[in-house]
Amino acid sequence: MSKYVIGMDYGSDSVRALLVNVETGEEISTSVYHYERWDKGLYCDPANNQFRQHPADYLAGLETTIKTVLADAPAGTAENVIGISVDTTGSTPVAVNKEGVPLALTSGFEDNPNAMFILWKDHTAIQEAEEINSLAKNRGGENFTKFSGGIYSSEWFWAKILRTIRVDEKVREAAFSWVEHCDWIPVVLTGNTDPLTMKRSRCAAGHKAMWHASWDGLPPEEFLTELDPLLAGLRDRLYKDTCTAEVKVGTLTEEWADKLGLSSDVAVSGGAFDCHMGAVGGQIQPYYLSKVMGTSTCDILIAPDNEVDGKLIKGICGQVDGSVVPGMQGMEAGQSAFGDIYAWFKRVLCWPLEHFSVEEKEKIFSRLIPELEKEAVKIGIGETDVFALDWMNGRRTPDANQNLKGAVFGLNLGSSAPMIYRALVEATVFGTKKIVDRFIAEGVPVKGIIALGGIAKKSPFIMQMCADVLAMPIKVVKSEQACALGAAMFAAVTAGYYDNIEAAMEKMGGGFEVTYEPVSADTAKYAKHYQKYCRYAELMEKEAGNEQI
Amino acid sequence: MSKYVIGMDYGSDSVRALLVNVETGEEISTSVYHYERWDKGLYCDPANNQFRQHPADYLAGLETTIKTVLADAPAGTAENVIGISVDTTGSTPVAVNKEGVPLALTSGFEDNPNAMFILWKDHTAIQEAEEINSLAKNRGGENFTKFSGGIYSSEWFWAKILRTIRVDEKVREAAFSWVEHCDWIPVVLTGNTDPLTMKRSRCAAGHKAMWHASWDGLPPEEFLTELDPLLAGLRDRLYKDTCTAEVKVGTLTEEWADKLGLSSDVAVSGGAFDCHMGAVGGQIQPYYLSKVMGTSTCDILIAPDNEVDGKLIKGICGQVDGSVVPGMQGMEAGQSAFGDIYAWFKRVLCWPLEHFSVEEKEKIFSRLIPELEKEAVKIGIGETDVFALDWMNGRRTPDANQNLKGAVFGLNLGSSAPMIYRALVEATVFGTKKIVDRFIAEGVPVKGIIALGGIAKKSPFIMQMCADVLAMPIKVVKSEQACALGAAMFAAVTAGYYDNIEAAMEKMGGGFEVTYEPVSADTAKYAKHYQKYCRYAELMEKEAGNEQI
């Protein structure tokens, strides 16, 4: 009888469970649960970039999706499930009490957004991130942001904690410790919820909390209290050690085993972030850039520890030993908006449709981007003067800068919607090239791109442009749920079915559905436009900097 | 019995006749004729900026509209018409034979666009304009562009002639001379069509043909032949003298008198350009800027000759003694796109409507700008980061530069269509301030704005913003057809009813329908944004300049 593993993938809007044959990687069944409170817009304030998620949504999704994938599988499957692994968005931390329970699940905090998970894209802590950067840079001695690309983001752990305890005294007093979403699900499943001893993800700690072995874990107490005395003592209630994702957190509690209809022998792996596990699901290899291309992009590259040899890669989001594959440096980069930019333009264009009925509006709305793309394809490279900067959501990499804004240049009275759409696409692809160029400039070769996510699957136009602009082949991962598949691979290793993640990738990987090869004539044409993009990017960044002063 | 005059106003798409009571300025009747061939798009190639108009369209419009205004007036009116005056767009020249007949009205040239009037907005002669500028600047000695703001435009007389005779040998050989539209109509009406003796407009000659008394008329033969030997001899077949618009060109020919049902005693005035006569129709006063605000703007300021005292105003389109009011320097400036920019944005936004039926599309299309404006009004000054540059059709003033392009900056994922619309409006209004600032910087005070044209009449939002940004009151002319009314005022002077144009303006002027007063708190807010506009304008212009090199 075959054995099975379950990969759980918590995304921004929904959670997915994927039941996988551990021998073949065959995807047996899958189930998606949309967060109920999130769908209603509860606890969020988009105008102020506040995005919170309730732990109860996560628990409901956990139970529902696992039960569904089991119910959809052939009889007898549940008994042969041997492991579960979880990936989530991040940094998505939550304040917990002494028992490791998120405050929103405790009395008096049920509806307090500050007692909930602070979603990765919540930008309420911009001020705190600036303070962290300023202190890290100016205090002398070790710069604790150095493995995070030298710039700490408002999307990350410490900024979010600091902001929350400043603005919410009740949460501050009730918060014994803080836990990342990717750590919380495994400890819930296994019952090891004591904040002082629970397993903490190397991926989350290293990329988002300035954890590094060379300074003995998290940044020292002096640094944190200098940042704000309110942080005093918290370090000791967090963690010193971290684990990579194949490490076993424990086995299912009797309660969860009963609830899910699984054995309490099922092994649960350490958590990690979605894109890191997605890179594994997409069978990443050294010096390949795994690119999850959706609303934004999350780019992961791995390189053997001994070849990186302590070198710091400037301006990326982070480099962490073992955050993707043990024994390799996992390097993270990404574009803070990609498909989101096309969606934004769609919203702008659809403004007139407010005057139509809902049905008519929907008809157009759903068809608009394909129609734009159809026209944009017909426009030759450089045929119009329209070009753009892709900073509509700031810039994540290279060199994070949240103050930057998007722009559209070269407009004349004949500039059409498809021309602007094409310019926006080019800008996002040029943003991709900026990241690849940075890796190369920092001495990290990039051999090719492994693409996953909605855009990789759906837009040959954009993918071909990526190949042409980057002058390198792009392989699109076959699996529709590479992140959950990557999690399943970790579950297989944790459960002891494979010796290491490389073996799991080889056996369970689903391969690639298509490879986009660069067309050299187009590469040459784009090169000229990329230079222009770089020139205007530099100008605009300089001017934005002047304005800040 | 009252006396009457007729003002003819040839616009870009149609010609209007206005029958006016010469004593009171009362507008008795009006008639508009849309050019038939132009409406069909004949002889034009918008993709290549070629815009031509057939003289037959002009003649049909002349006859139809005059007959209609007379037919619509009380019985006995026609007998009491004492004068006709004409304004047109410009520079809109045509090649004529020895008899002064436009080539397109002669055998073999009927359908040749190069034998037709080359409309002001035809930009086929960009290369020739550059050659003129280069020669004028580099040859040493007098710079013949100095009274045209130092930059000769592709929209003007010599550039258009040079381009046409280069590309069309047949036209070159058949062209005895060249005539501006505003000169051709009066000579047709009066029969004085000999190119060597026909009256030539000071306004057209001074603003568009580098005519100036100080160098004895048109630029010297050496200059022209150095530009291109093809021009040799043409100067002598053009003109040396020019006349201001109250000068009598003649009286109606018997033929035209019969055709129109008017007396052959009717006096016909010298022609001038529409905005110049519009300034008169709007009762311009010294140091007021008359602004015709439509798809683009045409800005006219007058200052007493003795006060200007030979001073050159840098970067405007031209300064010509008597081009508006005899005894005053008429200074011309303008924005190459104003309402055209809003219309462009409307077209971009309406792209999705292609999927709707024509009726539905029309419904939205006609309502879109008012709806955008309704929302844009609600956005506070500086409430969003979106801002724009209004160079979607290059820049006319200050410092003409056709290579500049429009841009939209400060975009984020929440930037909406109304925010962008508002930014576009602000950019056009800032463009207005740039012109006013230039006059002031050059020592020409600007006391206030007199606004006319569609936008002045229809958009309190834009007009109030103009007042706030400029920090000066803006008076909106009451007449719906100020240009034709200005022409009628000239006709009254030419016919001897008034001694001078100032007297005609006083008696026949219709006054103002509203004055927008600046709100000082808003002026202060806009001042900050204007600084930003200026900063980015400088950056972008510099970068565009670098690209040209």
Side-chain angles (χ1 to χ4, degrees):
Chain A
M1 184 73 192
S2 296
K3 299 292 176 189
Y4 300 91
V5 283
I6 295 171
M8 297 291 305
D9 171 38
Y10 281 89
S12 295
D13 301 321
S14 62
V15 51
R16 169 189 303 275
L18 180 68
L19 179 70
V20 180
N21 179 313
V22 75
E23 175 63 28
T24 62
E26 188 195 350
E27 300 178 1
I28 308 299
S29 56
T30 185
S31 167
V32 174
Y33 173 86
H34 283 264
Y35 309 133
E36 195 185 322
R37 294 164 187 80
W38 174 260
D39 266 2
K40 291 180 189 151
L42 296 180
Y43 316 121
C44 295
D45 178 5
N48 290 308
N49 285 306
Q50 176 182 303
F51 297 102
R52 307 297 161 92
Q53 292 187 331
H54 201 288
D57 270 350
Y58 293 163
L59 293 177
L62 183 63
E63 186 174 344
T64 308
T65 57
I66 292 182
K67 279 181 171 168
T68 306
V69 291
L70 293 173
D72 289 351
T77 303
E79 296 88 306
N80 288 292
V81 169
I82 57 172
I84 296 176
S85 170
V86 177
D87 72 64
T88 70
T89 69
S91 174
T92 302
V94 69
V96 296
N97 66 14
K98 210 163 177 175
E99 289 72 42
V101 180
L103 296 186
L105 295 179
T106 67
S107 170
F109 289 99
E110 295 89 340
D111 291 311
N112 182 343
N114 296 320
M116 299 174 190
F117 285 91
I118 304 172
L119 193 67
W120 66 277
K121 69 176 177 178
D122 183 295
H123 283 153
T124 50
I126 286 182
Q127 167 60 24
E128 285 71 19
E130 280 174 12
E131 290 176 43
I132 292 169
N133 283 312
S134 169
L135 181 66
K137 207 162 116 184
N138 300 322
R139 68 191 286 274
E142 191 74 279
N143 183 336
F144 299 111
T145 67
K146 75 179 188 181
F147 295 107
S148 316
I151 300 171
Y152 201 81
S153 160
S154 62
E155 291 184 2
W156 298 351
F157 195 68
W158 288 110
K160 286 174 167 172
I161 293 175
L162 183 52
R163 203 258 170 183
T164 307
I165 64 176
R166 279 179 175 173
V167 300
D168 195 323
E169 197 184 329
K170 280 192 183 152
V171 167
R172 181 172 77 235
E173 282 168 7
F176 175 77
S177 186
W178 288 75
V179 178
E180 281 281 353
H181 183 193
C182 72
D183 289 334
W184 186 64
I185 305 296
V187 299
V188 162
L189 287 172
T190 58
N192 305 315
T193 58
D194 178 351
L196 299 179
T197 59
M198 69 166 66
K199 289 272 193 295
R200 305 282 193 153
S201 157
R202 169 75 56 82
C203 177
H207 282 292
K208 311 299 178 190
M210 295 186 279
W211 181 94
H212 199 267
S214 71
W215 48 73
D216 206 24
L218 295 169
E221 181 75 7
E222 312 86 78
F223 176 82
L224 298 170
T225 51
E226 197 176 331
L227 190 58
D228 194 320
L230 287 178
L231 291 170
L234 177 59
R235 184 177 189 273
D236 288 341
R237 301 193 306 275
L238 287 164
Y239 52 88
K240 191 179 153 183
D241 296 324
T242 62
C243 63
T244 50
E246 85 289 0
V247 170
K248 190 173 177 173
V249 170
T251 54
L252 285 186
T253 61
E254 290 296 340
E255 191 193 339
W256 274 101
D258 281 356
K259 204 183 299 191
L260 301 173
L262 292 171
S263 154
S264 59
D265 292 336
V266 168
V268 178
S269 312
F273 290 148
D274 42 10
C275 299
H276 296 69
M277 287 204 173
V280 168
Q283 298 173 276
I284 194 167
Q285 290 182 289
Y287 301 112
Y288 273 77
L289 189 68
S290 162
K291 208 167 161 74
V292 183
M293 303 171 79
T295 55
S296 62
T297 80
C298 185
D299 305 352
I300 302 289
L301 183 143
I302 57 173
D305 272 346
N306 59 334
E307 293 181 18
V308 177
D309 196 22
K311 186 174 161 40
L312 290 173
I313 315 305
K314 215 182 101 195
I316 63 171
C317 296
Q319 58 187 108
V320 177
D321 174 24
S323 69
V324 183
V325 169
M328 303 258 184
Q329 291 268 322
M331 300 180 185
E332 188 185 334
Q335 294 173 254
S336 46
F338 200 88
D340 260 354
I341 294 178
Y342 320 144
W344 160 76
F345 187 54
K346 178 164 103 167
R347 284 196 302 278
V348 170
L349 284 187
C350 285
W351 191 84
L353 301 184
E354 294 306 324
H355 304 288
F356 285 94
S357 70
V358 174
E359 298 74 37
E360 283 174 310
K361 197 179 143 179
E362 271 312 308
K363 203 171 65 185
I364 297 296
F365 200 74
S366 61
R367 229 164 63 191
L368 189 58
I369 288 193
E371 291 288 341
L372 278 169
E373 190 158 311
K374 213 168 79 187
E375 293 305 311
V377 171
K378 297 179 195 160
I379 302 169
I381 303 166
E383 204 176 89
T384 88
D385 290 315
V386 187
F387 65 105
L389 284 182
D390 55 323
W391 296 336
M392 282 72 178
N393 194 21
R395 184 182 61 202
R396 194 181 292 152
T397 342
D399 304 321
N401 188 340
Q402 208 47 45
N403 292 315
L404 298 175
K405 299 269 192 298
V408 181
F409 306 87
L411 297 167
N412 66 33
L413 297 174
S415 302
S416 67
M419 288 179 195
I420 297 170
Y421 175 74
R422 188 183 170 103
L424 294 171
V425 170
E426 287 177 357
T428 53
V429 174
F430 290 156
T432 294
K433 181 159 167 64
K434 273 277 194 190
I435 293 173
V436 170
D437 280 5
R438 174 58 63 89
F439 275 116
I440 294 168
E442 292 286 305
V444 180
V446 179
K447 293 187 182 170
I449 309 288
I450 296 169
L452 42 159
I455 288 174
K457 294 282 195 188
K458 283 180 217 150
S459 177
F461 169 60
I462 296 173
M463 298 314 294
Q464 184 60 51
M465 195 190 288
C466 282
D468 293 342
V469 167
L470 296 171
M472 52 177 71
I474 301 186
K475 299 192 281 188
V476 177
V477 174
K478 196 167 187 178
S479 172
E480 294 286 337
Q481 38 257 330
C483 297
L485 179 60
M489 290 171 180
F490 276 104
V493 179
T494 305
Y497 198 90
Y498 294 108
D499 287 342
N500 53 51
I501 195 68
E502 284 88 345
M505 280 198 274
E506 193 189 325
K507 293 287 189 180
M508 297 171 73
F512 304 96
E513 61 181 20
V514 62
T515 297
Y516 292 93
E517 296 287 349
V519 175
S520 64
D522 291 345
T523 296
K525 286 183 202 164
Y526 280 122
K528 208 178 115 197
H529 297 287
Y530 178 61
Q531 288 311 317
K532 190 168 182 175
Y533 168 88
C534 292
R535 217 163 54 234
Y536 277 82
E538 196 183 330
L539 262 181
M540 290 296 106
E541 184 169 9
K542 200 172 144 200
E543 191 55 31
N546 292 343
E547 273 168 42
Q548 290 303 110
I549 296 162
Chain B
M1 186 72 192
S2 295
K3 299 292 177 190
Y4 301 91
V5 282
I6 294 172
M8 297 292 304
D9 170 40
Y10 282 88
S12 296
D13 302 320
S14 60
V15 53
R16 171 188 302 277
L18 180 69
L19 179 69
V20 180
N21 180 312
V22 77
E23 175 64 27
T24 62
E26 189 194 349
E27 299 178 2
I28 307 299
S29 56
T30 184
S31 167
V32 174
Y33 174 86
H34 284 264
Y35 309 133
E36 196 185 321
R37 294 164 188 80
W38 173 260
D39 265 1
K40 292 180 189 152
L42 297 181
Y43 315 122
C44 295
D45 178 5
N48 291 309
N49 285 305
Q50 176 183 303
F51 298 103
R52 308 295 162 92
Q53 293 187 330
H54 201 288
D57 270 348
Y58 294 163
L59 293 177
L62 183 64
E63 184 173 345
T64 307
T65 57
I66 293 182
K67 280 182 170 168
T68 306
V69 292
L70 292 173
D72 290 350
T77 302
E79 297 87 307
N80 288 291
V81 169
I82 58 173
I84 296 178
S85 169
V86 176
D87 72 65
T88 70
T89 69
S91 175
T92 303
V94 70
V96 295
N97 65 14
K98 211 165 176 174
E99 289 72 42
V101 179
L103 296 186
L105 294 179
T106 67
S107 169
F109 291 98
E110 294 91 339
D111 291 311
N112 183 343
N114 296 320
M116 298 174 192
F117 285 92
I118 305 173
L119 194 66
W120 66 279
K121 68 176 178 178
D122 182 296
H123 281 155
T124 48
I126 286 182
Q127 166 62 24
E128 284 72 20
E130 279 172 15
E131 290 176 43
I132 292 169
N133 282 312
S134 169
L135 180 66
K137 207 162 116 185
N138 300 322
R139 69 191 284 275
E142 191 75 279
N143 182 336
F144 298 110
T145 69
K146 75 178 189 182
F147 295 108
S148 316
I151 300 171
Y152 200 81
S153 161
S154 62
E155 291 183 2
W156 297 350
F157 194 70
W158 287 111
K160 286 173 167 173
I161 293 175
L162 183 51
R163 202 258 170 184
T164 307
I165 63 176
R166 279 178 177 176
V167 299
D168 195 323
E169 197 185 328
K170 279 194 183 149
V171 167
R172 181 173 76 236
E173 282 170 5
F176 177 76
S177 186
W178 288 75
V179 178
E180 281 281 353
H181 183 192
C182 73
D183 289 334
W184 185 63
I185 304 296
V187 300
V188 163
L189 287 172
T190 57
N192 305 315
T193 58
D194 178 351
L196 299 179
T197 58
M198 67 166 65
K199 289 272 192 293
R200 305 280 192 156
S201 157
R202 169 76 56 82
C203 177
H207 282 291
K208 311 299 180 191
M210 296 184 280
W211 180 94
H212 199 266
S214 70
W215 48 72
D216 206 24
L218 294 169
E221 181 75 6
E222 312 86 78
F223 175 84
L224 298 171
T225 51
E226 197 176 333
L227 191 58
D228 194 320
L230 287 177
L231 290 170
L234 178 58
R235 185 178 188 271
D236 287 341
R237 302 193 306 273
L238 287 165
Y239 51 88
K240 190 179 154 183
D241 295 323
T242 62
C243 64
T244 51
E246 84 289 359
V247 169
K248 191 171 177 174
V249 171
T251 54
L252 284 186
T253 61
E254 289 295 341
E255 190 190 341
W256 274 100
D258 281 355
K259 203 183 297 189
L260 300 173
L262 293 171
S263 152
S264 60
D265 291 336
V266 169
V268 177
S269 311
F273 290 149
D274 41 11
C275 299
H276 296 69
M277 287 206 172
V280 168
Q283 295 172 281
I284 195 166
Q285 290 182 287
Y287 301 113
Y288 273 77
L289 189 69
S290 162
K291 207 168 162 74
V292 183
M293 302 170 80
T295 54
S296 62
T297 80
C298 186
D299 306 350
I300 302 287
L301 184 142
I302 57 172
D305 273 346
N306 59 335
E307 295 181 19
V308 176
D309 196 22
K311 187 173 160 40
L312 290 173
I313 314 305
K314 214 182 102 195
I316 64 171
C317 297
Q319 59 188 107
V320 176
D321 174 26
S323 68
V324 183
V325 170
M328 303 259 184
Q329 291 268 321
M331 300 179 185
E332 187 186 335
Q335 296 172 255
S336 45
F338 201 88
D340 259 354
I341 294 178
Y342 321 144
W344 161 74
F345 187 54
K346 179 164 103 166
R347 283 196 304 276
V348 170
L349 284 187
C350 285
W351 191 84
L353 302 184
E354 294 305 324
H355 303 289
F356 286 93
S357 70
V358 174
E359 299 74 35
E360 284 174 310
K361 196 178 143 179
E362 272 311 310
K363 202 170 66 186
I364 296 296
F365 200 73
S366 60
R367 230 161 63 191
L368 189 59
I369 286 192
E371 292 287 342
L372 278 170
E373 190 159 310
K374 212 168 79 185
E375 293 304 312
V377 170
K378 297 179 194 161
I379 301 169
I381 303 166
E383 205 177 89
T384 88
D385 290 315
V386 188
F387 66 103
L389 284 183
D390 56 321
W391 296 336
M392 280 75 178
N393 195 21
R395 185 182 60 203
R396 194 181 293 152
T397 345
D399 303 321
N401 186 341
Q402 206 50 43
N403 291 316
L404 299 176
K405 299 269 190 301
V408 181
F409 306 87
L411 296 167
N412 67 33
L413 297 174
S415 302
S416 66
M419 288 179 196
I420 297 169
Y421 175 72
R422 188 183 169 101
L424 293 171
V425 171
E426 287 178 357
T428 53
V429 173
F430 290 156
T432 295
K433 182 160 166 62
K434 273 277 194 190
I435 293 173
V436 170
D437 281 5
R438 174 57 63 89
F439 275 117
I440 294 169
E442 293 286 306
V444 180
V446 178
K447 292 186 181 169
I449 309 289
I450 296 169
L452 43 159
I455 288 174
K457 293 283 194 188
K458 284 182 215 149
S459 178
F461 168 61
I462 297 173
M463 299 315 292
Q464 183 60 50
M465 195 189 289
C466 282
D468 293 342
V469 167
L470 297 172
M472 54 178 70
I474 301 186
K475 299 192 280 188
V476 177
V477 173
K478 197 168 184 177
S479 172
E480 295 285 337
Q481 38 255 334
C483 296
L485 179 58
M489 291 171 180
F490 276 104
V493 179
T494 305
Y497 198 90
Y498 295 108
D499 286 342
N500 53 50
I501 196 68
E502 284 87 344
M505 280 198 273
E506 196 190 321
K507 294 287 190 180
M508 296 172 73
F512 305 96
E513 60 182 20
V514 63
T515 298
Y516 292 93
E517 296 288 347
V519 175
S520 65
D522 290 346
T523 295
K525 286 182 203 164
Y526 280 122
K528 209 177 114 196
H529 298 287
Y530 178 61
Q531 288 312 316
K532 190 168 182 174
Y533 168 89
C534 292
R535 217 164 53 235
Y536 277 82
E538 196 182 328
L539 263 181
M540 290 297 103
E541 185 170 9
K542 201 173 145 198
E543 190 56 30
N546 292 342
E547 274 168 41
Q548 291 303 110
I549 295 163

